[in-house]
Every structure is written in structure tokens, then in C-alpha cells.
Amino acid sequence: ALSQAAGPPPISGSPRPGSSVLNGLPPEAHAAFPERRTERNSAALGRATRYVAPLLMDGDAPQRRWWSTLRRGVVVELYYAEDTYAVSTPVGDVPLASTAFREGQYCRCVVVRRMRAGRRQGKHWYALRYKDGPYDCDQHRVHRKRGMPRGTRFVGVPRDCCVLTYENQRLYWPIMLLTITAVQVGLFALFARRQYGGLGAVKPSSPTVGPSTLFMRLTGPFPECFDARRQYWRLWTYQVVHVGYYHLGCNCLMQLFFGASVEMVHGHWTLFFVYMFGVAMGALTCSFADINRAVVGASGGVYTLIGLHAADVLLNFRAMADRSRRLVRALLCTAVPALDILIYVFVYSDDDTSYASHGGGLVTGFLLGLVLLRPVSESRCHSWFVRPLAALLLVAYVLFALFWHQTVYPPEYLYNGPFWRRSSWGASDHHPTCCWRLDECDAIPKADYDYFNCDLDKHLTISLAWDDGPLDEVLTTCSALASALATAKDIEGQGYD
């Protein structure tokens, strides 16, 4: 088999349906490839793909055969090419013509290894393990069939006879993603029953369903005002708390939509690690971009999956056989973050949406995808440049977020307001929370915080009946806070120094 494979040179061109480089195959094979795939290759899309091919990790361009190497374990479509490669069965070597494999057909095979023969000449010959087939090129594959015995191997297969498609790599069920979603939904129902008596009391956008000990926050609620940075479980537990069932439903549907295909190709634990890491990084991003808010919801993890999905589409764009589908996936990956950015830019307000956790999850998911996800067709550009650069940026981002979270207290903004404005960077907090307004006033001891009322975590008042008139004006300065506290204590008959 090795001698037979080492003899003929590899076919120059790719047998991929719709390709124009089929000159190495017999003339009959040209008509066998499906015409419907050729019709999809419009001239405009072809020109665009040609210009951006290096960015999209072109895996099987015949003019750059060095660009990619088939890695072990990927599934390829092997097309019939007589007297080009050898066939080894459990009973011995047999000619290709004596098998059920015929012209105009292909088999699905698993890459075993790249052969040593021809490496010095820069040739790519592989040993493949038979998976299923053969199938007719002009017919859609509906049912799986086996026309050759188990254990059959194809030896000395040129790279140009193998076609990589992203869809063939779906080897896993999205069990991990379904488990994460089920846990979030189950805890939502449990918290609703314990707090409000059942799901019937929960409205589309209210109330917050979940205990406050699970919120992501840097400072405890008023009047406790404790340092919550050391409660590390908050970096992950805030994902199981949601504000109404609309919040929960949107997050669950989006993470299933964007994460299922990634898990089906790259595995359960890869998705689990990326999801949980993105949830934590979304929380850490809030430590310098959204310091006063108590963050809840799985949006950090959802945007991590969007970033992961975008990286997956970028790395495997050319390996996706259906061009219309891959363009739709690429548009969806950019449409959701783009819509969020437009809302942030043009409708930005201090509302209840934490854009910091969205951005932190998106950046983390995209960088982690470039580092961890292995393209179906590995390229030298990705191995030598893209992956190291993404790893360097990710490490720098993680170290900076951890450093800021652990060292800067009281919390400070890295930027306060829209990040595209220069005045936002390094700006002070113009609307500090009740805890920090009292903390900045040295005349008020922490034991007296209970005298004050805090409205929306920002407006401080003292309400104490005296001559039928409560002291309920909003206190904005330290002297006003101290004076109101002294008046309240005098009313109670206590002295105040």
C-alpha cells in the first residue's frame, strides 16, 4: 500500500463539488458532482471570498496546499479517484475497482494520520479510516449506509481527494448546554416558589427572582455596606438569578441558539469551560465599568457564547459547505452585538441593563474561541499568529480585571459613561451609592447608618416623626447628613457629639 501510494503524484486540484480544479479526475467524474452546489457559487460571493480568504482561514485552496493540514480525528469526504490511493480491508489489500466504491461517489472517512512518505517533498498524503458510504454525489445524503466492511482503510490519499465540511464534524449532542439551561430554569422555579409562593406571582419583567446573596456586587446592600469582593461565589452564581421570566426566556433561547452547534463540534467540556469562564469575566468587567450595580442574569454567559460562535464561524468559514447558511450564521453573530452597541450609543442611559457584563462576555468568548477551538482545517496563520496573539490579549485582560477587582476599593470607574468619549475615562463617580456617600463623610459612624433611608441606592433621607413633620428631604452634602442625624438623635433624646 505504501509503495502504491508513493508512486503517483497527488491530484492537482480539489474534488469539492462546484470547484473548477477537477482536472485530475476522469471526465466522467466532472458530471457526477452536484450541479446545485455549483449554482450557489455566485460571482460576487466568489470575488469577496477570494479577497478575504487569508482572514477566513481558507483550508482547501488548491493554490496554497501548504495552508492547512488535516488533523487527526476530523471527518472528511473522500471522493473516488482510481489508481490514486490503496484500499486495505481486514482480509488484505484489494484494488479500489473491486469494492463498492464507484465513480461519482464519495465515502465519509476519519483521518488517522499524515503519512511520512512525501513529507520532504511537501506532499500531503494521509491514511483514512472508513466511516460510512459510499454516497452518490448528485443525491442528498439522508440515511447512513455502509457499503464496505468495518476496518477498511484508505492509504496514500492525497489531500486534494479529501473535502472538509463543518457539518460532517457534528459528533456530540449538546448535553452540557441543555444541562446548564435546565439548572437555570429549575432554580428560577425554586426561588419563585420560596420567595413569592409560585411562578404565578412572577411577571414578564419583575420581580428579581433569587436571593441577594447570589447577586454580583462589590459592596453589600445598604445599610450593611460590607466588602463583597471576597465572596468569590458571586462571580458565577449571579447567572441563576433573573428579573422576570422574559429575562430568563431570552437568555435561555439565545444560549441554546448560539451554543448548540459549537458544542456539537467541539465537545461538552470545551463549551462548559468557556461558558463559566465568560460568566466570571463578565462579572470582573463590572468591577471597573459598572461598579454600583447589583448584576443578575446569564447575559455574561450568553454573550460569551456569541463571541465563541463568532470565533467558530471565523475559523471554519470555508469548511462550511452551505454558503447561505454560513453567511446567515456570520450575520447573526454580528447582528446581536451590533444591536446592543447601537442601543448603548444612541439610547444610553443609566437603566437596568449591564452593558459591561455583555461586553466582557463577548470579548472573552471571542478570544477564548480563537485560543481553544481547533479549526476543522488547521492553518499556519492560526497556529503561528492568531492563536498566540489571542492568548496574549486574553491573559492581559484577565490579569488586569483581577488586579482591579482585588486592589481598587472603594470601587472606582476605569471609564464612567460612554467609552468612546475621552471625558469618560478616569471620570469620578458623580452619583455614588448610599454606602459610599456615608463612607466619605467621616462625621457619621457606621453604627448610625440605620438612621438613614436609601432610595434607589442613591438618595439618602431621614424619616423620623417630630411635630407631625418627618425629616424626608434628600440629603446631598456631608454637612447636611451630619445635621440631619444630629436632629434625629435630639428628637429621640440622645446626645450627639
Side-chain angles (χ1 to χ4, degrees):
L2 291 175
S3 62
Q4 183 178 353
I11 300 173
S12 60
S14 173
R16 190 185 188 94
S19 175
S20 60
V21 288
L22 300 173
N23 52 351
L25 295 179
E28 296 82 359
H30 290 259
F33 290 113
E35 297 181 359
R36 58 184 180 85
R37 295 189 181 181
T38 306
E39 295 175 356
R40 294 179 187 152
N41 301 334
S42 62
L45 186 59
R47 287 194 297 269
T49 305
R50 184 170 63 253
Y51 289 127
V52 300
L55 298 178
L56 299 179
M57 309 300 174
D58 188 356
D60 53 355
Q63 68 273 19
R64 292 192 304 274
R65 284 177 295 189
W66 55 268
W67 186 260
S68 64
T69 300
L70 298 178
R71 60 182 175 88
R72 180 179 179 181
V74 299
V75 180
V76 298
E77 294 177 357
L78 173 63
Y79 286 83
Y80 183 89
E82 191 174 0
D83 298 332
T84 303
Y85 45 82
V87 182
S88 176
T89 65
V91 296
D93 297 341
V94 298
L96 181 61
S98 64
T99 64
F101 205 179
R102 295 291 181 266
E103 291 184 2
Q105 294 182 331
Y106 68 92
C107 292
R108 293 202 306 170
C109 303
V110 180
V111 176
V112 177
R113 60 183 175 87
R114 181 185 174 188
M115 299 178 60
R116 294 182 178 274
R119 283 197 179 188
R120 293 185 178 181
Q121 293 80 17
K123 302 184 184 300
H124 289 238
W125 296 339
Y126 295 90
L128 309 180
R129 185 179 73 251
Y130 171 77
K131 181 178 176 67
D132 53 49
Y135 304 98
D136 293 331
C137 294
D138 57 350
Q139 295 181 1
H140 181 66
R141 185 177 70 246
V142 179
H143 302 291
R144 181 178 178 181
K145 66 178 182 178
R146 287 185 178 272
M148 305 179 72
R150 292 179 179 271
T152 300
R153 293 201 175 196
F154 300 93
V155 184
V157 180
R159 170 67 178 86
D160 302 320
C161 290
C162 304
V163 173
L164 276 169
T165 60
Y166 183 86
E167 290 75 15
N168 280 333
Q169 315 307 318
R170 302 198 172 204
L171 306 176
Y172 309 93
W173 288 98
I175 299 175
M176 186 62 69
L177 193 59
L178 291 173
T179 302
I180 294 174
T181 305
V183 169
Q184 293 173 352
V185 173
L187 290 178
F188 182 86
L190 179 63
F191 294 152
R193 182 177 180 181
R194 289 186 175 181
Q195 291 181 275
Y196 307 104
L199 291 173
V202 180
K203 299 179 180 179
S205 57
S206 65
T208 301
V209 181
S212 62
T213 54
L214 304 182
F215 296 0
M216 169 56 202
R217 63 196 321 160
L218 299 175
T219 307
F222 187 86
E224 288 82 3
C225 299
F226 58 86
D227 184 358
R229 294 178 301 160
R230 300 297 186 268
Q231 298 178 352
Y232 297 106
W233 67 82
R234 295 179 181 270
L235 297 177
W236 290 276
T237 55
Y238 75 97
Q239 65 175 300
V240 300
V241 182
H242 289 84
V243 183
Y245 58 78
Y246 179 78
H247 187 203
L248 173 69
C250 288
N251 284 339
C252 291
L253 290 177
M254 289 181 65
Q255 69 186 19
L256 288 173
F257 180 80
F258 286 102
S261 61
V262 178
E263 182 179 356
M264 292 172 72
V265 174
H266 299 283
H268 311 304
W269 294 110
T270 298
L271 182 128
F272 178 79
F273 172 77
V274 172
Y275 186 87
M276 293 303 170
F277 192 82
V279 169
M281 286 305 300
L284 290 175
T285 304
C286 294
S287 65
F288 60 82
D290 197 1
I291 60 177
N292 293 327
R293 200 188 309 273
V295 181
V296 296
S299 298
V302 170
Y303 275 78
T304 300
L305 292 180
I306 295 176
L308 184 69
H309 193 91
D312 186 48
V313 172
L314 177 66
L315 296 178
N316 295 293
F317 191 83
R318 293 285 292 179
M320 298 177 183
D322 193 335
R323 291 197 173 188
S324 60
R325 182 178 299 176
R326 70 189 185 186
L327 286 177
V328 169
R329 292 183 61 184
L331 289 175
L332 286 174
C333 290
T334 55
V336 176
L339 180 62
D340 215 22
I341 292 174
L342 289 175
I343 295 175
Y344 180 76
V345 171
F346 295 104
V347 197
Y348 177 78
S349 61
D350 192 14
D351 58 6
D352 295 331
T353 303
S354 177
Y355 295 101
S357 63
H358 293 183
L362 183 67
V363 172
T364 302
F366 184 74
L367 293 178
L368 266 179
L370 296 179
V371 174
L372 295 182
L373 300 185
R374 299 191 62 183
V376 173
S377 182
E378 190 91 26
S379 68
R380 294 186 182 182
C381 179
H382 178 258
S383 301
W384 296 352
F385 177 72
V386 176
R387 180 177 288 167
L389 179 61
L392 181 63
L393 293 176
L394 181 63
V395 170
Y397 181 39
V398 172
L399 291 179
F400 171 78
L402 284 173
F403 174 80
W404 193 285
H405 179 264
Q406 293 296 314
T407 59
V408 180
Y409 198 82
E412 296 180 7
Y413 280 107
L414 176 65
Y415 63 90
N416 186 8
F419 63 86
W420 61 89
R421 297 179 183 172
R422 182 180 299 179
S423 58
S424 299
W425 292 84
S428 59
D429 188 5
H430 302 295
H431 302 285
T433 61
C434 296
C435 288
W436 297 118
R437 291 183 59 192
L438 292 177
D439 182 76
E440 294 172 355
C441 187
D442 297 332
I444 300 178
K446 194 169 185 178
D448 293 334
Y449 285 6
D450 292 335
Y451 281 93
F452 294 90
N453 299 322
C454 182
D455 183 21
L456 299 177
D457 206 22
K458 291 183 179 181
H459 306 298
L460 284 170
T461 60
I462 287 185
S463 296
L464 187 63
W466 177 52
D467 291 341
D468 298 328
L471 297 169
D472 56 358
E473 63 175 310
V474 178
L475 308 172
T476 57
T477 63
C478 181
S479 58
L481 291 170
S483 176
L485 180 62
T487 302
K489 288 194 172 185
D490 289 340
I491 294 175
E492 290 184 345
Q494 300 179 7
Y496 180 71
D497 297 331

